[in-house]
Amino acid sequence: MNRWRKWILGGTVVWIALVAWWALSPVTDTVPTGAIRNKDRAIVQTAQAVQCGAPLTGSGSPSGSLPALAAPRSYQRTPCSLGRDNDRLIFAIDILVAIGVVVLVVKTWKPADAAAALEDAPAA
């Protein structure tokens, strides 16, 4: 096997391992919580960080209780759902690309013995 093919296959295996580690690690979702006036009376957009489970877990809810918000603020979307869906899509795309790379490398691989046998064969 050519040296560059080994590097591509090795890199693909490392990439799959890194993507799997990322997909099994907890993530933080920053959820918009509306706008408030600050001390200078300027309107400021606010957000709240919420700890979520790993993208590949079956749960779409926060890993703990939601942080309490002051009266004018409220969660503008369901915490963890959008991030989880996007992370799962990214994971699926990464795995499909990795599988495509492996298939392409394997399909284009030619054994060294067969190539040498064809070169040594007499011409008709």
Side-chain angles (χ1 to χ4, degrees):
M1 185 180 286
N2 295 343
R3 182 177 214 140
W4 65 271
R5 292 181 196 277
K6 290 179 184 178
W7 280 102
I8 289 177
L9 289 176
T12 304
V13 169
V14 169
W15 179 253
I16 290 173
L18 288 173
V19 168
W21 172 78
W22 164 77
L24 295 171
S25 300
V27 294
T28 301
D29 186 13
T30 304
V31 183
T33 57
I36 60 170
R37 291 193 183 273
N38 66 2
K39 294 178 184 177
D40 298 333
R41 306 298 294 163
I43 297 177
V44 188
Q45 295 295 327
T46 61
Q48 178 66 47
V50 177
Q51 189 68 24
C52 304
L56 292 185
T57 59
S59 174
S61 59
S63 56
S65 61
L66 286 176
L69 300 175
R73 295 172 59 197
S74 65
Y75 291 103
Q76 303 295 313
R77 63 174 171 81
T78 306
C80 301
S81 64
L82 181 64
R84 185 199 66 221
D85 294 343
N86 289 342
D87 291 345
R88 285 181 177 176
L89 179 64
I90 291 169
F91 177 77
I93 290 170
D94 283 345
I95 295 301
L96 288 175
V97 167
I99 290 171
V101 167
V102 169
V103 167
L104 184 66
V105 169
V106 169
K107 287 278 192 183
T108 60
W109 177 66
K110 295 177 186 168
D113 296 337
L118 289 177
E119 289 176 8
D120 293 337

